[in-house]
Amino acid sequence: MADSSSFPQLSSHATEEEKNLSLKEKINLIDNEIRQLYDFCLKAGYTQPQIEECAQPLLAIQSREKRIKWFWWLCSFAMFVGFVAFLFAYDPTYRQICIYGKFVAMKALPYWDWTVIYDRECLIDNPYKVQDGLTEEDCSACQHLKGVKRIANASQSEIAESFLFNQIPVVVTDAVEGWDALEKFDLNYLAELYEKNEVLADRSGGCQFQSTVLEYEDPHQLLSAYKSGELTKFQAFWENCDKDAAKVLRKYYKRPYFLPPMAEAVEGNWFIVSSAQNMTLHVHWESTATWIAQIKGTGRFILTPDEICKNLCHKVAVNLDPGEVLTVMNTMWNVQYRPVGNEPVISFGSGVTWD
């Protein structure tokens, strides 16, 4: 064994000079003392296992600190994964992610033909997915459809039997008679309505808001900017999904007379608006069917058949003029919208559902 006089001179009490050292210097000092102890133990004839046994209290603290660090890292990672899962599970947030994701993708690869996958949620089809409701047999009704029929004085039974049950879109030309919306709705009127009405002024009332001008996050900001002259070119879509907000707007229209009794109205209603911009906008509704009333200007609606019917049915398009109402089945058709001309265009509508 080595002479005890060779034991390194260490003290558990820090001197004033040591207290004033920087953190890095303090760590280096501790590291140097540990190395001195280790060298002393080796010279004294201790084996490696004996040294580790003597240092076990210090190593136990180090091991515990590592476990605590890993525990908090795993907790943070689990919270992050849970938060991301919530964002994708919450439908309004998920749709915003999809919208901005598509915008970013189109900006990053401007020469790629995005029209092929624009209406699809998945880049790769799942061969084991079971299609709810719609089958290839249902596609036979639209197999020879070349355009959208316009009718007037429609009966509820005709609409149900000839169009809704067969997944065929139809335009009714006399369905908005007596609507205040047709006379009052323009962009300035909507701006004042969303600003002054107590219910609509509450920004929690809108959802699914999307616009070609990304810095505006809700209809209040967008309409206010238009009214002040700050914004002149834009397109936007939003839904009044709040029950009280939708109720305010129901005062301006009536249930379309041609809808059969089995078609139960959903609570919400929505707007598509544009000014001096002619881009194609994809819109989506969760209801069984949607009716779309043209209020101002002319809107062009492009209807693309569902994936299961794409080999039998063809894309059709229809222009809606003020006073006309398009009814389309959401289970069969994906809807894209494009305003016609540079004048302000307003489309308004709601949905219906049935078992």
Side-chain angles (χ1 to χ4, degrees):
M1 292 287 181
D3 194 300
S4 61
S5 62
S6 64
F7 190 86
Q9 298 299 313
L10 305 175
S11 174
S12 60
H13 301 288
T15 64
E16 289 299 323
E17 181 181 357
E18 290 173 338
K19 290 180 180 180
N20 293 327
L21 295 175
S22 66
L23 178 60
K24 184 177 180 181
E25 291 172 332
K26 290 177 181 178
I27 292 174
N28 289 334
L29 178 63
I30 295 172
D31 182 68
N32 183 56
E33 291 182 347
I34 292 174
R35 290 181 183 276
Q36 289 183 49
L37 285 173
Y38 179 76
D39 291 339
F40 171 79
C41 291
L42 288 177
K43 292 176 181 178
Y46 288 97
T47 64
Q48 188 70 28
Q50 288 175 324
I51 296 174
E52 290 180 0
E53 184 178 356
C54 294
Q56 192 58 41
L58 181 61
L59 295 176
I61 294 174
Q62 185 182 31
S63 177
R64 184 180 64 181
E65 292 296 328
K66 285 184 177 180
R67 288 197 299 268
I68 292 175
K69 183 177 180 181
W70 271 101
F71 173 76
W72 284 112
W73 185 89
L74 288 174
C75 287
S76 300
F77 181 73
M79 291 175 64
F80 174 76
V81 172
F83 178 71
V84 172
F86 169 77
L87 291 180
F88 280 90
Y90 185 55
D91 187 68
T93 306
Y94 170 72
R95 296 197 179 282
Q96 288 297 322
I97 293 173
C98 291
I99 292 166
Y100 287 111
K102 288 178 180 179
F103 273 120
V104 171
M106 287 186 287
K107 291 287 186 182
L109 298 171
Y111 301 109
W112 185 273
D113 183 12
W114 292 101
T115 60
V116 178
I117 61 172
Y118 187 83
D119 295 326
R120 298 172 59 183
E121 293 186 352
C122 299
L123 293 178
I124 302 174
D125 293 327
N126 181 359
Y128 298 104
K129 179 182 177 183
V130 177
Q131 188 77 19
D132 294 331
L134 196 66
T135 66
E136 289 189 2
E137 293 182 3
D138 299 321
C139 304
S140 60
C142 67
Q143 185 173 2
H144 302 293
L145 186 68
K146 301 298 182 182
V148 181
K149 185 176 181 180
R150 281 177 159 81
I151 61 175
N153 298 317
S155 68
Q156 294 178 349
S157 59
E158 178 187 9
I159 293 295
E161 298 295 334
S162 300
F163 299 99
L164 297 184
F165 292 159
N166 287 319
Q167 314 273 350
I168 301 299
V170 62
V171 173
V172 179
T173 60
D174 60 350
V176 299
E177 294 179 2
W179 285 19
D180 288 341
L182 194 63
E183 299 297 327
K184 295 183 177 180
F185 280 176
D186 59 34
L187 293 180
N188 286 317
Y189 186 89
L190 292 181
E192 292 187 6
L193 187 62
Y194 273 82
E195 177 184 344
K196 296 180 180 179
N197 185 275
E198 183 178 350
V199 176
L200 294 178
D202 179 4
R203 300 191 177 201
S204 65
C207 60
Q208 279 205 71
F209 179 81
Q210 54 179 298
S211 170
T212 55
V213 188
L214 299 182
E215 55 261 38
Y216 298 103
E217 299 179 351
D218 56 53
H220 309 76
Q221 293 180 1
L222 183 130
L223 292 171
S224 177
Y226 174 83
K227 182 183 175 183
S228 66
E230 176 185 342
L231 179 66
T232 57
K233 296 178 64 176
F234 66 91
Q235 289 174 229
F237 165 80
W238 71 88
E239 181 180 356
N240 301 292
C241 53
D242 179 80
K243 179 171 64 175
D244 293 331
K247 187 177 180 180
V248 171
L249 293 163
R250 287 196 202 104
K251 299 176 183 178
Y252 294 89
Y253 70 94
K254 301 175 183 177
R255 174 188 170 96
Y257 75 88
F258 57 82
L259 292 176
M262 56 83 177
E264 182 180 353
V266 300
E267 287 187 343
N269 42 47
W270 50 262
F271 280 101
I272 303 176
V273 299
S274 64
S275 174
Q277 198 170 58
N278 302 99
M279 298 176 64
T280 300
L281 188 70
H282 176 75
V283 288
H284 175 80
W285 300 278
E286 297 293 340
S287 55
T288 308
T290 299
W291 57 264
I292 304 164
Q294 192 63 28
I295 303 300
K296 287 287 184 291
T298 299
R300 184 170 179 80
F301 291 86
I302 302 98
L303 311 181
T304 305
D306 187 85
E307 189 74 13
I308 200 169
C309 297
K310 68 176 184 179
N311 293 327
L312 292 176
C313 302
H314 305 282
K315 181 187 296 187
V316 294
V318 59
N319 285 7
L320 282 189
D321 293 322
E324 296 183 328
V325 177
L326 167 67
T327 302
V328 59
M329 293 290 294
N330 298 321
T331 49
M332 170 71 82
W333 303 96
N334 297 307
V335 181
Q336 290 176 284
Y337 163 80
R338 187 182 184 92
V340 177
N342 291 321
E343 295 300 317
V345 179
I346 300 177
S347 302
F348 178 78
S350 186
V352 293
T353 184
W354 63 84
D355 296 329

